[in-house]
Amino acid sequence: MGYSTRRLDRKPTIKSELDLQRMRDAAKINVEVLQTIWEAIKPGVTTWELDQIAYDIIVNKYGAVPAFLNYPPGSRHPFPATITASINEELVHGIPSKKRVLKDGDLISIDCGTIYKGYVADSAFSKGVGQLDEEASNLLRVTNESLDRAIEQALPGNRVSDISHATQKHAEKHGFNVPRQYGGHGVGKKMHEEPHIPNWGKPGKGLRLRPGMTFAIEPMLMAGTHETEVLKDHWTVVSKDRALNAHTEHTVAVTDNGPEILTLWDQ
Ligand code: MG
Ligand code: MG
């Protein structure tokens, strides 16, 4: 789930080795959810069914807590599901529904967060349903590459906007856009910690990265305009021109040995 403030310089919490171990435990559960949903995605399946898979693993199998369900606390319109499922022109925060049936050629993005023993893991993938056309498969490939490029910048001594810049540069090189108000975030005991990590910007700005910082890095790529709007359901973010979008995300720790991807799995 993305985060939308504009401050790059607010201090994140620094995690101890024990904190990181607990985040790895949360990440393992989150990975199992995403892998299981990945296998279940096919034409004819509803996004509500995918949501049930996530709830069942997080709550019934592990006794963990879905980070997105009823988020944010106290909101008049809390998010009503365990995953977000965003299809085609939907960029992020799509609400799962029994009426939403996957079709051949859809490009779907699934985002999930798990809280386990007080620590959060947050990650997302995009996938084609059946066969994608050329534009969609190109967008999907470049989105995944953008995540790799962004994560490579999560190094001690770099700054927050080095991550942002890597995403924007790779996206635009391939003719795609990035949203201006949605991006990644610090993550740990809370899902949304400081700092905000935009998907765009000049390099070398904001907070300097240190070992023990943990971030949810989440490129969002748009085939058309970078402008977005939120639908009447209060959550679903779509591109203004209804062009195709994709989103991918990992929870990553900055370490002396380079970025550690806590939510890594083989897609
Ligand atoms: Mg997320
Ligand atoms: Mg996130």
Side-chain angles (χ1 to χ4, degrees):
M1 189 170 274
Y3 185 44
S4 51
T5 69
R6 292 185 182 271
R7 297 288 301 269
L8 314 183
D9 55 350
R10 297 234 178 101
K11 291 259 169 358
T13 54
I14 299 293
K15 277 75 176 181
S16 67
E17 186 48 42
L18 183 61
D19 292 326
L20 289 179
Q21 193 46 55
R22 290 187 170 157
M23 287 183 70
R24 288 182 196 110
D25 292 342
K28 262 184 215 157
I29 299 170
N30 214 57
V31 164
E32 185 174 328
V33 170
L34 292 187
Q35 281 181 311
T36 310
I37 290 176
W38 175 281
E39 297 298 329
I41 288 174
K42 47 178 157 289
V45 170
T46 68
T47 53
W48 182 85
E49 291 172 271
L50 301 178
D51 192 65
Q52 294 302 298
I53 290 171
Y55 186 90
D56 189 50
I57 293 172
I58 294 172
V59 176
N60 298 330
K61 184 169 177 186
Y62 289 102
V65 178
F68 297 177
L69 186 62
N70 299 319
Y71 185 88
S75 162
R76 284 182 59 209
H77 303 287
F79 192 76
T82 299
I83 60 169
T84 71
S86 310
I87 302 171
N88 299 336
E89 76 280 3
E90 298 167 353
L91 175 64
V92 287
H93 305 171
I95 300 175
S97 163
K98 287 181 182 175
K99 292 181 194 155
R100 202 66 199 268
V101 184
L102 301 187
K103 304 187 307 289
D104 189 49
D106 281 342
L107 178 55
I108 185 169
S109 306
I110 301 290
D111 193 351
C112 187
T114 298
I115 309 170
Y116 185 62
K117 296 185 178 170
Y119 289 80
V120 182
D122 182 10
S123 66
F125 67 80
S126 288
K127 187 186 183 194
V129 181
Q131 197 66 36
L132 288 180
D133 67 21
E134 198 183 329
E135 183 195 41
S137 61
N138 197 26
L139 176 64
L140 176 59
R141 177 181 56 80
V142 176
T143 303
N144 287 329
E145 289 168 357
S146 296
L147 179 61
D148 295 339
R149 304 290 169 97
I151 290 171
E152 283 169 10
Q153 296 299 318
L155 298 171
N158 274 6
R159 290 185 185 271
V160 167
S161 79
D162 293 327
I163 298 171
S164 311
H165 182 70
T167 296
Q168 183 180 21
K169 187 177 161 194
H170 194 67
E172 291 182 353
K173 183 176 144 193
H174 293 275
F176 297 119
N177 270 313
V178 286
R180 300 305 193 253
Q181 63 272 65
Y182 299 96
H185 48 91
V187 60
K189 289 187 180 176
K190 287 193 265 175
M191 179 160 64
H192 290 143
E193 297 187 348
E194 300 297 342
H196 174 52
I197 306 175
N199 278 314
W200 66 295
K202 294 190 173 132
K205 310 270 184 207
L207 184 88
R208 200 175 283 283
L209 308 187
R210 283 176 47 196
M213 293 180 181
T214 44
F215 302 130
I217 297 175
E218 45 185 313
M220 300 160 193
L221 269 66
M222 311 179 73
T225 177
H226 64 74
E227 290 185 81
T228 58
E229 60 190 41
V230 179
L231 299 183
K232 286 191 184 121
D233 65 14
H234 302 282
W235 279 99
T236 309
V237 179
V238 298
S239 41
K240 254 192 177 152
D241 59 5
R242 302 301 191 268
L244 206 57
N245 300 314
H247 171 218
T248 184
E249 176 181 25
H250 274 311
T251 294
V252 177
V254 178
T255 83
D256 283 320
N257 303 318
E260 179 187 345
I261 305 173
L262 304 183
T263 48
L264 189 63
W265 55 290
D266 274 335
Q267 288 186 2

